Amino acid sequence: MPEPVQHLVTVGGAEVHVREWGAGNGPTVLAWHGLARNGADFAPLADRLCDRFRVLAVDAPGRGLSAWAVDPAADYGFAAYEAVADGVLDRFAVGELHWIGTSMGGTLGIRLAAGRLAGRIRRLVVNDIGPEVPQAAIDRILAYVGDPPSFASVREFEAWLRRVYAPYGRLPDAQWRAMALASLRRRDDGLVTVHYDPAIVRQFVDSPDDYTVWEQWEAVRCPILVLRGAQSDLLTPAICAAMMARNARARLHEVPGCGHAPALNVPEQTEPVREFLEAE
């Protein structure tokens, strides 16, 4: 798997970490991760795409190596994330692009494709999220995101990560280890904990309507590929059916053997994405 070029760029006065694969290629893919994840998640997919596409994977503010928010109420919401995405595209001189978003990144992509990046996003991949999120799924996610535990060793942290992210589906041991190493930081007392700022969950309090985007979904004009984990509790069959009915540009690919969200790490998940992006 090729190593990415690591960039640290300043957007809106804050440091943002961006991984780049396939530098110099023509079409650009911008990949945005889920709520408590970071851009390292896209390494297996980038490996499959980087022979043809330039892939940029962003660590959202408060995650990975990007700066934590000065004002969580303002900086951990989609209005701020949209500005960061726009700023990253400016820094990398990107005009038109494809967008791949997992969970939170999928909602962000819907908002951008219908709003400030309308006409620039050529193809949109939405990985296991819809224009609304069931409260039960939100409660499940917040139970582990808002109060992250700490561990005495990286091995203990990896075991916890495997339990929490079991719905991702089949990951080989090497990918679990890589995920763990990209998902941790050491506290001042030496214990291991998660990479992100726990205050990212403020989005659900300070911007409670951020994830309700039916109007934007209906306004997206580019082709859309929706991926759904067959056992997902976040993108339910009912929401998925409504998405297909309310935007004729969307098509669905259901991924067996996983819930929320497909990890985009094995051929049965990466190949539909590549085929969709190459179908212009």
Side-chain angles (χ1 to χ4, degrees), residues 50-80:
C50 67
D51 63 319
R52 175 173 178 185
F53 299 94
R54 174 171 69 160
V55 180
L56 300 175
V58 178
D59 287 351
R63 288 85 163 174
L65 297 180
S66 291
W68 289 18
V70 174
D71 180 3
D75 297 340
Y76 291 149
F78 284 129

Side-chain angles (χ1 to χ4, degrees), residues 2-7 17-33 39-58 88-89 92 94 97-101 264 273-274 277:
E3 290 295 322
V5 178
Q6 313 258 358
H7 300 275
H17 180 236
V18 183
R19 293 170 176 86
E20 180 184 23
W21 293 265
N25 288 344
T28 295
V29 175
L30 195 146
W32 200 286
H33 56 77
D41 285 357
F42 292 104
L45 179 61
D47 180 49
R48 186 64 188 94
L49 298 179
C50 67
D51 63 319
R52 175 173 178 185
F53 299 94
R54 174 171 69 160
V55 180
L56 300 175
V58 178
V88 167
L89 294 174
F92 286 88
V94 177
L97 67 144
H98 304 309
W99 183 281
I100 298 174
L264 305 181
V273 174
R274 181 176 177 117
L277 297 182

Side-chain angles (χ1 to χ4, degrees), residues 185-191:
R185 61 185 172 88
R186 285 199 183 270
R187 306 188 323 187
D188 289 347
D189 60 6
L191 295 179

Side-chain angles (χ1 to χ4, degrees), residues 64-204:
L65 297 180
S66 291
W68 289 18
V70 174
D71 180 3
D75 297 340
Y76 291 149
F78 284 129
Y81 299 154
E82 288 174 20
V84 170
D86 207 6
V88 167
L89 294 174
D90 286 346
R91 292 300 303 269
F92 286 88
V94 177
E96 294 183 334
L97 67 144
H98 304 309
W99 183 281
I100 298 174
T102 292
S103 195
M104 178 187 75
T107 300
L108 180 58
I110 293 169
R111 294 171 63 104
L112 287 166
R116 67 197 297 164
L117 297 184
R120 290 176 63 187
I121 294 180
R122 299 286 302 277
R123 288 184 170 257
L124 173 63
V125 179
V126 178
N127 185 17
D128 209 65
I129 197 165
E132 65 179 89
V133 179
Q135 188 60 48
I138 292 175
D139 292 343
R140 176 183 62 79
I141 293 169
L142 294 185
Y144 68 85
V145 174
D147 186 22
S150 56
F151 303 90
S153 70
V154 174
R155 288 185 178 85
E156 291 177 12
F157 174 75
E158 181 182 330
W160 172 82
L161 204 73
R162 287 175 181 243
R163 292 194 300 272
V164 168
Y165 290 101
Y168 270 32
R170 177 171 59 86
L171 274 72
D173 288 343
Q175 288 188 14
W176 279 118
R177 176 57 53 86
M179 183 179 177
L181 294 177
S183 300
L184 62 82
R185 61 185 172 88
R186 285 199 183 270
R187 306 188 323 187
D188 289 347
D189 60 6
L191 295 179
V192 175
T193 190
V194 294
H195 62 96
Y196 59 81
D197 179 0
I200 59 174
V201 298
R202 288 282 300 272
Q203 181 180 18
F204 293 92

